[in-house]
Amino acid sequence: MSTRESSARSEPEQRRVNGVSSGSLSMPSPSHPYSPKSDNHSTASYSTRASAQTTTTSRSVTTNNGNLNNNSNGNGGVDNGSALPANGRNINATVSARAARLAGTSSKMHKAEAMARFHPKMITAQILSLQCFMYLAQSILIQLNYLVFATPTSVDRIFTSKYLHIWKREGVADCFMMLFAALFGAVGLVLIVEKSKKCLDFTTTYFILHLLLSTIYGGFPATLDWWIVHILSLLVMVVLGEYLCSLKELEMIPLLQF
């Protein structure tokens, strides 16, 4: 029975049965695709290919970087280090040129505005008006001195220095007359000039013209009393005139009501 069965079996089955019966299984050959040795070999080959590909990639990157550096340093390439400062210099030059043009335009506009505000006829009329106003005030005060102190009236009291004496009794009235005339002059600045920033200019102009007229009329005033009185009058007229003009400038502008 066993002989028939063994003969009836095929040769592979017979080998399998013989191996089982003998208790030893035949291991797959090393050339089998699923053997451990084959797996290690395939893993090693894959890592070798991966490392070779990485090396090739790094070489290509290095080559590309070298080409970029060569292009950037060459004439045909784009050099950021040299192009950016050049662009910055061009921008700075453009900005400075525009600023210069704007400054020139603004200066021309300021000159045009100054020329538009400059009215020589009006300024001359203001100077003459203030000069006449001061001489009118001094004339009125001389008449008051005549009524109070019985001093003779004369034009010499305005254009000469022989009546201006601080330490003499007969000259004190004339000194106070000049100081009170400065108070009237401050009122004249408010009425004629109307600008606090122009009070010093017009007051100085008045005293310069008064010095010229006094020199023409009776000679250059050489006494110290004349200079002291007129300098104090100048200070009083300027300070009080600027104060009154500033008060007038701060007044509310009336609005038209419809």
Side-chain angles (χ1 to χ4, degrees):
M1 181 66 184
S2 61
T3 306
R4 290 180 181 177
E5 289 178 357
S6 60
S7 60
R9 293 173 183 169
S10 62
E11 186 177 357
E13 291 179 356
Q14 185 66 34
R15 290 178 181 176
R16 196 181 303 117
V17 172
N18 292 331
V20 172
S21 61
S22 62
S24 62
L25 295 174
S26 60
M27 297 299 293
S29 62
S31 62
H32 197 275
Y34 298 99
S35 62
K37 187 176 181 179
S38 176
D39 292 337
N40 294 331
H41 181 70
S42 62
T43 304
S45 62
Y46 176 75
S47 60
T48 303
R49 289 194 301 270
S51 61
Q53 186 176 1
T54 305
T55 304
T56 306
T57 305
S58 63
R59 289 178 179 176
S60 62
V61 170
T62 305
T63 305
N64 291 329
N65 290 329
N67 293 329
L68 289 175
N69 292 327
N70 292 328
N71 290 329
S72 63
N73 294 324
N75 294 326
V78 178
D79 190 1
N80 294 327
S82 62
L84 289 177
N87 293 331
R89 288 193 295 270
N90 293 331
I91 292 173
N92 291 331
T94 305
V95 171
S96 61
R98 290 182 179 178
R101 286 197 296 269
L102 289 176
T105 305
S106 61
S107 63
K108 290 179 180 179
M109 292 177 63
H110 288 304
K111 289 180 181 179
E113 291 178 359
M115 292 300 295
R117 294 177 182 177
F118 180 70
H119 302 287
K121 293 182 179 180
M122 186 181 68
I123 293 174
T124 304
Q126 288 176 337
I127 291 172
L128 295 177
S129 299
L130 184 62
Q131 202 81 17
C132 295
F133 185 84
M134 288 294 297
Y135 290 147
L136 177 62
Q138 291 174 3
S139 301
I140 293 173
L141 292 174
I142 288 173
Q143 294 297 323
L144 290 177
N145 284 338
Y146 171 75
L147 294 176
V148 176
F149 301 104
T151 55
T153 58
S154 174
V155 184
D156 295 344
R157 295 183 179 275
I158 299 176
F159 295 105
T160 60
S161 60
K162 61 183 179 181
Y163 292 102
L164 292 176
H165 300 287
I166 299 175
W167 310 110
K168 292 182 180 181
R169 183 178 179 182
E170 59 272 10
V172 174
D174 292 316
C175 293
F176 278 104
M177 181 266 297
M178 287 294 179
L179 292 177
F180 279 108
L183 299 178
F184 283 98
V187 178
L189 288 174
V190 178
L191 298 176
I192 297 171
V193 179
E194 298 181 350
K195 299 293 183 181
S196 60
K197 62 182 180 180
K198 296 181 179 180
C199 291
L200 179 61
D201 298 335
F202 279 91
T203 306
T204 306
T205 304
Y206 157 71
F207 276 99
I208 290 173
L209 292 177
H210 179 65
L211 177 62
L212 292 176
L213 293 175
S214 299
T215 303
I216 293 172
Y217 181 82
F220 185 80
T223 61
L224 183 62
D225 295 341
W226 189 93
W227 287 101
I228 292 174
V229 170
H230 281 81
I231 288 174
L232 289 176
S233 301
L234 172 66
L235 295 176
V236 171
M237 186 173 174
V238 170
V239 173
L240 186 60
E242 287 182 354
Y243 175 71
L244 295 177
C245 289
S246 63
L247 290 180
K248 186 175 182 180
E249 290 174 353
L250 293 175
E251 290 180 355
M252 296 181 63
I253 300 174
L255 299 177
L256 296 176
Q257 295 181 359
F258 296 97

